[in-house]
Amino acid sequence: MMRPVQQSVFLVTPPFTQLNTPYPATAYLKGFLNTKDIESHQADLGILVINELFSAKGLESLFTEIEAGGYVLDGNIARIMTLKEDYLHTIDPVIAFLQDRNPTLSYAICTGNYLPEAGRFEQVADLEWAFGTLGIRDKARHLATLYLEDISDLIIATVDPLFGFSRYAERLASSARSFDDLYNALKAPPTFTDRILLRILEEQLALYKPTLMGLSAPFPGNLYSGLRCGQYIKQHHPEIKICLGGGYANTELRSLSDARVFEFLDYVTLDDGEATVLHLIEMLEGKRDIHFLKRTFALDEEGVVQYYNGTIAGDYKQADVGTPDYGDLPLDRYLSVIEVANPMHRLWSDGRWNKLTLAHGCYWGKCTFCDISLDYIKNYEATTAVVLVDRMEQLISETGQHGFHFVDEAAPPALMREVALEILRRKLTITWWTNIRFEKSFTPDLCRLLAASGCIAVSGGLEVASDRLLQLIKKGVTVAQVAKVADSFTEAGIMVHAYLMYGFPTQTEQETIDSLEVVRQLFELNVVQSGFWHQFAMTAHSPVGMNPELFKVKNVLEGVGAFANNDLPHIDETGADHSRYAGGLKKALYNYMHGICFDFPLQDWFDFRVKRPTIAPDYIERSLAEAPEPPLRPSTKIVWTGKPPQLEVNHQKHKGKIVTRAQLVFQQKRSALELNVTPAEGKLIQELLERCHVSNQAMTVGALQDHFMQNHHTDIMPLLEGPTIKDLKEMGLYIL
């Protein structure tokens, strides 16, 4: 009997995701497989294809193929072809610039005489508002991004209509109840981009010689190219087994029944990849029966799609999955681009971020538009702050990058607090950002602490900006609460991005306009700095999708598709004609983000009559003014992050009497600050700050009160609730 071959795993992200940083799925899995001593390698085929295509050699091939193809070229595309020598001359230096290897090129780019310009540059007007007079490198990065998009337009118009930087052939996979369109596209000859992809894939296979290839398809824009890779391996390397997982499979393919999919794959795995991939490896090594795989689709002996979930083993705890491993990935070849002058979109596309999750799943898990029935959202499990910061330090050592993007569904405030404290205890210099829920736990002091630890931005769902609809969504927040929390982040120096939704079931025209008025006020008061509108989509795994009648909408689809099942077209008979409002909402938001047009009537953004807002023009301002201060409870934690203050006591003679004066002197980074106190009060504050220092275990109000009453017979509540506490907060005290 032949001995099963020990598996060598090749984890692949097919084109395309982000240009600036690796998508983390394969790094997560590689980190986990390291803990099991299973050999694995990984590749981001997207960035490898981009680097080959967008090079002098790649463009030379592109222009040659276009010239031989007999394409009918319109004015803009014809212009690019006419300027091909300029593109060939500039492409390698521009790519090097976007990879931070040629920073001085920014001056040449900004002159306006270096880059060839086609249709994308028509949107460029005065960029001073976005980049100022000294933001040369950022302005150049934006212009260089437009330059790449011009070339992308050329590719789409000629050799590859499916091309897109982060959405390759996305339309074929989006809401694809039938596999027909994808199947037909895959049966057609490989496109120009496909040929580059498959050539690079062959090089990678020769390098790593895997026995199992895991394809990660986080988005619809990865599926076509992933299946094209699978098709190639089936034809040229049939000994290699292929599995597909990732976000697309998790949301879209849970009812898969079309056997044709397995002409390109051997397995489709759902939910967390750690257990499913490990079980698959064990099966291939003869250690597990196929019927005891975990959440896996495969063909049976009769060629029928079967779903195997016979194992009783659970998913792995977050503490046991290991640290993401970015080995094998060419971190110096990613491109930092600036597609649009939106501050939050800039974070997504510019800079290299180590991606981590604070917790598995969502701690809230109630929003009715969200896929809360799925494992990766409903099964919440947090990691400890110590483990998380250990992993951060390990990633810094491995990648050399100190920036982190926590990609949680919604980062839990209590864990964010503990992570911030651990970062400060270890004196790490880290920059990080994440997605949150605008809940009241984010007090002004917690926001200041997060900023002190390196937090620079948060994004969160304001959604419909209507209290009635927020309640229907079960968001657990009010508009006033969102405003207060967002203001606390902004005051702490943390940028706030709001996800905005229109078209939620039963949303009326009046509520849509009132939502826009709320958004106008939030931007005018600089409570929110960035935002994005999207239209509500009903998904199969959300409460709305599973019970549409409860939300007064009707699902217009019947039955279950043989391929993907997620987005559900629906009829909202009680709400507005939501699509009419899309253009006006986005146009208004675009101007508000640039700090202009706040005095325009809302009617000006629409080309049809809209209702007047019923929201008071000072609604947000009043909401902020009326927001209550967080209560001081025995469980409230107090943390001091500053240096020990020096107590200076002076005895002066005044009108024949000796007057004792005291000052606490706080040495800050930029200056020394003084606080007038009595000698007794000064000593009390010194001891309080020493006990609450961030290097110690965080002290609660109750524990501090007990200590000072037992040892000094002193009640500290007058101090903690008095005016002095405001001065201490400015010097590094946090009441959490």
Side-chain angles (χ1 to χ4, degrees):
M1 184 174 179
M2 292 185 61
R3 187 175 181 180
V5 177
Q6 185 175 0
Q7 297 298 297
S8 174
V9 184
F10 184 35
L11 304 166
V12 168
T13 305
F16 293 107
T17 51
Q18 291 176 258
L19 296 178
N20 64 306
T21 200
Y23 193 80
T26 61
Y28 288 169
L29 280 176
K30 181 170 170 53
F32 169 73
L33 294 176
N34 290 345
T35 70
K36 302 298 180 182
D37 295 322
I38 295 173
E39 180 186 0
S40 66
H41 295 279
Q42 64 184 325
D44 180 351
L45 296 181
I47 199 62
L48 297 180
V49 169
I50 289 294
N51 274 270
E52 181 156 335
L53 175 54
F54 290 87
S55 66
K57 179 181 176 182
L59 290 193
E60 184 71 61
S61 297
L62 172 65
F63 289 131
T64 299
E65 179 139 340
I66 293 172
E67 289 169 344
Y71 297 98
V72 177
L73 306 179
D74 66 16
N76 184 58
I77 302 305
R79 171 175 169 75
I80 297 175
M81 290 298 295
T82 302
L83 296 172
K84 73 174 186 177
E85 293 301 326
D86 296 289
Y87 283 99
L88 292 171
H89 173 69
T90 54
I91 187 64
D92 286 342
V94 166
I95 293 297
F97 166 70
L98 292 174
Q99 292 171 335
D100 289 328
R101 294 187 291 110
N102 187 8
T104 55
L105 188 69
S106 57
Y107 294 95
I109 291 174
C110 289
T111 63
N113 298 317
Y114 180 72
L115 295 179
E117 298 181 3
R120 295 287 182 146
F121 285 78
E122 293 174 4
Q123 63 188 279
V124 175
D126 182 8
L127 294 182
E128 293 292 319
W129 58 263
F131 304 108
T133 56
L134 294 179
I136 296 295
R137 290 181 68 180
D138 283 350
K139 182 178 178 181
R141 208 176 293 279
H142 178 55
L143 294 172
T145 304
L146 298 178
Y147 161 90
L148 294 185
E149 289 175 339
D150 273 334
I151 300 173
S152 171
D153 291 342
L154 172 68
I155 296 170
I156 293 168
T158 55
V159 297
D160 191 353
L162 302 177
F163 186 81
F165 281 116
S166 60
R167 296 179 175 87
Y168 189 41
E170 184 181 50
R171 64 175 178 79
L172 294 175
S174 297
S175 304
R177 286 167 58 84
S178 168
F179 190 53
D180 289 349
D181 288 347
L182 264 168
Y183 188 76
N184 292 334
L186 290 163
K187 289 300 182 181
T191 67
F192 179 81
T193 313
D194 291 341
R195 297 200 301 274
I196 296 175
L197 166 64
L198 298 178
R199 186 166 63 249
I200 292 173
L201 174 62
E202 181 59 47
E203 294 169 357
Q204 297 287 305
L205 295 174
L207 178 63
Y208 296 126
K209 299 179 174 59
T211 59
L212 172 64
M213 186 167 86
L215 293 165
S216 176
F219 309 112
N222 301 102
L223 185 63
Y224 165 83
S225 56
L227 294 177
R228 184 65 90 175
C229 290
Q231 179 187 52
Y232 178 85
I233 290 173
K234 287 278 190 181
Q235 293 171 350
H236 299 279
H237 300 277
E239 72 282 2
I240 300 174
K241 297 298 182 183
I242 311 158
C243 67
L244 173 78
Y248 183 86
N250 288 340
T251 55
E252 304 270 356
L253 303 183
R254 304 190 78 88
S255 54
L256 176 65
S257 62
D258 194 323
R260 293 178 298 172
V261 173
F262 294 92
E263 295 178 26
F264 310 91
L265 306 168
D266 295 295
Y267 309 98
V268 174
T269 59
L270 302 182
D271 299 323
D272 291 347
E274 290 87 7
T276 52
V277 170
L278 180 61
H279 290 191
L280 185 55
I281 291 170
E282 291 173 346
M283 188 204 73
L284 294 173
E285 292 182 346
K287 301 173 183 176
R288 179 181 292 270
D289 186 272
I290 190 171
H291 295 91
F292 291 94
L293 291 178
K294 188 174 184 66
R295 299 173 187 159
T296 299
F297 287 100
L299 290 185
D300 64 15
E301 293 178 354
E302 281 74 41
V304 177
V305 179
Q306 297 292 337
Y307 179 59
Y308 298 102
N309 193 26
T311 182
I312 59 173
D315 293 314
Y316 282 86
K317 298 291 184 183
Q318 290 299 291
D320 301 325
V321 297
T323 302
D325 182 348
Y326 286 87
D328 303 324
L329 297 178
L331 299 180
D332 60 341
R333 297 181 69 184
Y334 286 85
L335 314 181
S336 286
V337 298
I338 300 179
E339 300 170 70
V340 294
N342 173 305
M344 180 57 78
H345 289 151
R346 187 255 176 85
L347 286 182
W348 283 317
S349 62
D350 183 22
R352 298 182 190 100
W353 304 96
N354 296 316
K355 293 179 183 280
L356 278 175
T357 51
L358 294 169
H360 176 281
C362 180
Y363 71 94
W364 179 247
K366 298 178 184 178
C367 297
T368 55
F369 65 81
C370 183
D371 293 338
I372 59 175
S373 66
L374 297 184
D375 172 81
Y376 73 92
I377 295 177
K378 72 178 181 181
N379 292 328
Y380 174 71
E381 182 202 348
T383 319
T384 67
V386 171
V387 168
L388 279 164
V389 182
D390 284 347
R391 290 175 179 172
M392 293 170 75
E393 289 197 280
Q394 187 175 336
L395 283 172
I396 291 170
S397 176
E398 178 186 331
T399 67
Q401 304 297 330
H402 291 248
F404 287 84
H405 176 199
F406 293 110
V407 291
D408 291 63
E409 299 297 322
L415 184 54
M416 291 173 72
R417 178 192 67 202
E418 296 307 311
V419 168
L421 291 172
E422 191 65 22
I423 290 171
L424 292 169
R425 286 190 188 105
R426 302 191 194 189
K427 298 181 172 62
L428 301 177
T429 299
I430 286 172
T431 302
W432 61 275
W433 53 292
T434 191
N435 189 55
I436 64 160
R437 221 179 117 252
F438 289 112
E439 64 158 84
K440 60 185 178 183
S441 299
F442 289 108
T443 62
D445 275 26
L446 177 54
C447 294
R448 291 193 305 112
L449 178 76
L450 299 177
S453 74
C455 180
I456 58 168
V458 293
S459 58
L462 173 57
E463 317 305 355
V464 288
S466 157
D467 283 341
R468 180 188 78 84
L469 291 167
L470 284 171
Q471 188 173 11
L472 190 60
I473 288 173
K474 294 187 179 179
K475 193 74 180 179
V477 299
T478 64
V479 172
Q481 180 180 316
V482 170
K484 177 57 182 173
V485 170
D487 189 57
S488 296
F489 276 110
T490 296
E491 288 296 312
I494 296 172
M495 181 178 66
V496 178
H497 173 88
Y499 295 110
L500 302 165
M501 181 192 297
Y502 63 97
F504 191 79
T506 72
Q507 183 173 4
T508 65
E509 295 183 18
Q510 186 66 66
E511 286 171 326
T512 301
I513 294 302
D514 285 350
S515 294
L516 179 57
E517 172 59 18
V518 167
V519 170
R520 185 194 69 79
Q521 293 181 31
L522 288 169
F523 277 91
E524 184 175 28
L525 294 172
N526 194 34
V527 173
V528 173
Q529 294 78 46
S530 176
F532 182 79
W533 287 104
H534 70 276
Q535 187 167 355
F536 166 77
M538 189 169 82
T539 59
H541 311 292
S542 67
V544 179
M546 292 187 291
N547 300 285
E549 66 281 354
L550 297 181
F551 297 86
K552 300 181 180 179
V553 294
K554 182 180 179 181
N555 177 11
V556 300
L557 293 178
E558 294 183 2
V560 176
F563 185 57
N565 288 281
N566 190 37
D567 287 357
L568 303 176
H570 62 281
I571 297 172
D572 179 4
E573 295 178 344
T574 61
D577 179 2
H578 306 297
S579 60
R580 296 178 68 204
Y581 290 85
L585 292 173
K586 293 174 182 178
K587 189 187 303 182
L589 180 61
Y590 178 84
N591 285 277
Y592 297 160
M593 279 195 294
H594 297 153
I596 57 176
C597 302
F598 295 120
D599 57 341
F600 280 30
L602 300 189
Q603 176 64 63
D604 288 3
W605 304 116
F606 303 91
D607 56 7
F608 57 93
R609 296 299 303 172
V610 299
K611 296 180 179 293
R612 293 179 180 272
T614 62
I615 300 294
D618 62 346
Y619 171 66
I620 296 298
E621 188 173 14
R622 284 190 292 106
S623 296
L624 296 176
E626 296 168 0
E629 288 295 319
L632 198 63
R633 297 187 174 95
S635 59
T636 299
K637 293 183 177 182
I638 300 184
V639 176
W640 170 250
T641 61
K643 296 178 175 62
Q646 302 301 310
L647 180 62
E648 297 180 355
V649 180
N650 300 308
H651 304 285
Q652 299 176 349
K653 195 171 184 178
H654 181 69
K655 295 182 179 181
K657 296 181 179 180
I658 300 298
V659 178
T660 301
R661 302 181 186 277
Q663 289 181 324
L664 278 174
V665 180
F666 296 81
Q667 296 294 341
Q668 307 278 21
K669 287 182 180 179
R670 300 174 64 183
S671 62
L673 301 176
E674 298 176 349
L675 182 63
N676 294 321
V677 293
T678 66
E681 187 181 25
K683 291 180 180 179
L684 175 68
I685 292 174
Q686 279 185 314
E687 184 175 350
L688 173 71
L689 299 183
E690 181 182 356
R691 297 192 70 81
C692 295
H693 194 267
V694 68
S695 59
N696 304 323
Q697 191 69 26
M699 297 286 290
T700 65
V701 169
L704 288 167
Q705 177 75 331
D706 290 345
H707 169 81
F708 282 96
M709 289 298 293
Q710 291 174 11
N711 293 277
H712 303 291
H713 306 291
T714 300
D715 181 5
I716 63 166
M717 296 308 292
L719 170 64
L720 296 179
E721 296 175 336
T724 303
I725 205 71
K726 182 178 180 181
D727 295 320
L728 291 175
K729 285 184 177 184
E730 293 178 0
M731 299 168 192
L733 187 74
Y734 300 89
I735 298 180
L736 305 168

